Amino acid sequence: MVVLGRALSCWILLAMVLVLSAADVGGATAEKGVTYDGRSLIIDGQRKLLFSGSIHYPRSTPEMWPSLIKKTKEGGIDVIDTYVFWNLHEPKLGQYDFSGRNDLVKFIKEIRSQGLYVCLRIGPFIEAEWNYGGLPFWLRDVPGMVYRTENEPFKFHMRKFTSKIVNLMKSEGFYASQGGPIILSQIENEYGNVQAAFREKGASYVKWAAKMAVGLQTGVPWIMCKQPDAPDPVINTCNGMRCGETFPGPNSPNKPKMWTEDWTSFFQVYGAPPYIRSAEDIAFHAALFVAKNGSYINYYMYHGGTNFGRTSSSYFITGYYDQAPLDEYGLLRQPKYGHLKELHAAIRSTASPLLHGKQTILSLGPMQQAYVFEDARSGCVAFLVNNDARKVIPIQFRNNAFSLRPKSIGILQNCKTLIYETAKVNVPKNMRVTTPVHTFNVPDKWEVFRETIPTFSGTSLKANDLLEHTKLTKDKTDYLWYTLRFKSNAPCKKPSLFIESSGHVVHVFVNNARAGSGHGSRDIRAVKLQVPVSLINGQNNISILSGMVGLPDSGAYMESKSYGLTKAQISCEGKKTIDLSRSQWGYSVGLLGEKVRLHKWRNLKRVKWSTNNAGLVKNHPLAWYKTMFDEPSGDGPVGLNMESMGKGEMWVNGESIGRYWVSFLTPTGHPSQSIYHIPRAFLKPSGNLLVVLEEEGGDPLGISLNTISVVGSNQSQSQLS
């Protein structure tokens, strides 16, 4: 019995050891996947302090993705954040496209192969300075449609597309709950900006969207940015430049404090200069957010890229967030890239006390504080904050003296050693250099095709009203012709034509001659144009080209917005006014060159091209130009300098590299963007086709092909060394 008892005791002891061992292993990895508590995300059982960077896959090429992701990882980034672009993936109802730049699966596989996580912001409304906020235009024609509210047609299509993406991710095993890289998903986007416009339906829509998303059972948390009332278990997050100062925090003590958009610069529109945000300012506010218990920061953008084709939103330039740590071409922008890399290393070296220590806040002066995280096991870290923007401040902390620069945060490892200061930049500034390698200044190398100005008699669609622009174009083109026959019998001295439009651009032609042009801006929404016109006795042909520069990316009731001509009047000596608005108008959608897809090799012979002898065919509106060129040597970025032109679009080997608008100058008299990116993937060694649509009038002989590089050290003497 004693022997049996001892044996039983041994078996019990062994079983306890096995249970404890299993529990210990479970504690290290816990359940696979992602959860969270009030301090941070928890991945495979471990709390994580994460830095993320936004890279949008369609704003670069698949050939660029490996290098962009590699540089991002080397910058100390843990997560790649991207939106999902509904209008790219479902351009027609029920027809999906995940090829080329739209290959979301390939993009995520590349991220996974480099060992980074993914935050997938499905939306599917995304804003993002992207055409129509990512919504496919066909949605507007669905009967009874009202976007982003308690509306059954919208909810049906939103649920359908969101489910499509989630199921695609599941089929690839991409969610962290499946062992994949996706640790977060986002539903909706900055809905708090418009929620009040929908009143009680807004609040119920938020609840529906959250419930729908969570019900898809991804096994990872969902977030809603700028959404204070995000329902449990969805995490509400902050967007902006100073979330350490402006964000009151999550709406539950059980949710972590997260910053989904730390704007590294800001969007740029035509007519405006770039917004420059310093490396010091970004570092200060990122460090402050961490000091105030933040555990996740996403830089928007880390690489902005290019708005190819017609993908940019209203008035936004083709380059996107060029001032990000990786510029439009994927080159390092110093000191921003290197200074933030050092910040990430400093914070990562102190992650244990940050995630597990107790926070204490101490006053060190009228504008100075210390945020201290400490416990016996994980050690101590302190963030010393000087909010004084003008003075260097001496600080005493735990019997050690420190001197903090104006508007700066110092990070103390072990609460003793200063390892990083946000206002101290060790990384040398680099400079981007544009080198012309080919100028298209030989007249007989160019050929030109000029658009014919349509007249009323040549149009098939007619109406006794000014029709809404996008109702006819369906956003398949930027352009809509409004044509009219005006019979001038009675004397009219000094006639002038007044046009008012809710579109972006207006070009007026009378009897085939250009009479004038006008445009709005992001701040001036209505175009008002009054131009003198030459009328002949009898029948006059008035043709007005209405142009858009992208659809809006945000706002309530987007489906009800209207564009195009709203008023047309002829006045005589500024007195007698003849209202043309209710006359019979003829309509023609798009340009002839667009209809025959003139930018494609196979369609070049569908029109008759003229040689541009001696450069005589220049400064003409609505002209198509084509020429050939060879690829520059090397593998660095390539761009077209379009400063000699006006406004239009460019194609290389059939690929649109975006709209250009160099005639729209900033207040200092410079184009908002002169150089337009040609990805190397668009080029072949020789015989590349360049097609340019010039809308206003320009000189193609001044266009040049350039290589883009940076000079100056990309190395730094780390504050950690």
Side-chain angles (χ1 to χ4, degrees), residues 306-310 318 648-650 655-660 676:
T306 305
N307 292 315
F308 298 110
R310 300 173 49 253
T318 297
E649 190 173 351
M650 309 146 288
E655 297 279 356
S656 174
I657 62 172
R659 300 183 182 97
Y660 67 91
Y676 292 83

Side-chain angles (χ1 to χ4, degrees), residues 501-711:
S501 173
S502 56
H504 299 154
V505 180
V506 170
H507 301 291
V508 177
F509 298 83
V510 177
N511 298 324
N512 211 39
R514 181 168 58 172
S517 300
H519 64 80
S521 69
R522 179 170 166 81
D523 297 324
I524 302 173
R525 302 301 174 92
V527 182
K528 295 183 179 181
L529 175 67
Q530 184 140 14
V531 292
V533 294
S534 296
L535 299 177
I536 60 175
N537 288 329
Q539 205 76 257
N540 291 268
N541 287 307
I542 298 175
S543 304
I544 302 168
L545 183 62
S546 170
M548 297 291 290
V549 191
L551 294 175
D553 66 341
S554 59
Y557 301 106
M558 287 169 55
E559 73 287 336
S560 65
K561 303 299 182 186
S562 60
Y563 309 95
L565 268 61
T566 55
K567 183 181 290 187
Q569 297 175 336
I570 285 181
S571 62
C572 305
E573 290 187 304
K575 299 175 183 177
K576 179 184 176 183
T577 299
I578 304 167
D579 187 7
L580 306 176
S581 303
R582 300 294 180 183
S583 300
Q584 189 176 37
W585 292 83
Y587 296 89
S588 180
V589 175
L591 305 177
L592 176 59
E594 291 181 302
K595 293 172 184 176
V596 301
R597 297 177 64 79
L598 203 51
H599 58 280
K600 294 285 188 181
W601 280 97
R602 63 180 180 270
N603 299 322
L604 292 176
K605 294 182 179 180
R606 296 186 65 178
V607 300
K608 185 176 180 180
W609 296 86
S610 302
T611 56
N612 192 21
N613 291 326
L616 295 178
V617 186
K618 63 181 183 180
N619 297 321
H620 284 285
L622 301 178
W624 295 79
Y625 297 95
K626 74 178 178 76
T627 190
M628 308 287 287
F629 68 96
D630 293 338
E631 180 181 12
S633 60
D635 58 2
V638 179
L640 278 180
N641 188 326
M642 300 295 290
E643 270 196 77
S644 67
M645 304 300 282
K647 177 183 182 297
E649 190 173 351
M650 309 146 288
W651 293 264
V652 173
N653 294 329
E655 297 279 356
S656 174
I657 62 172
R659 300 183 182 97
Y660 67 91
W661 197 353
V662 294
S663 63
F664 195 163
L665 304 180
T666 68
T668 58
H670 299 93
S672 295
Q673 182 176 356
S674 300
I675 310 294
Y676 292 83
H677 182 206
I678 308 174
R680 285 277 181 175
F682 290 2
L683 298 174
K684 52 187 181 179
S686 61
N688 295 283
L689 172 67
L690 170 63
V691 175
V692 177
L693 165 62
E694 173 54 48
E695 183 182 316
E696 298 176 338
D699 182 4
L701 302 184
I703 298 174
S704 66
L705 186 68
N706 301 263
T707 55
I708 317 295
S709 59
V710 291
V711 295

Side-chain angles (χ1 to χ4, degrees), residues 48 79 468:
K48 294 288 185 178
V79 185
E468 197 273 324

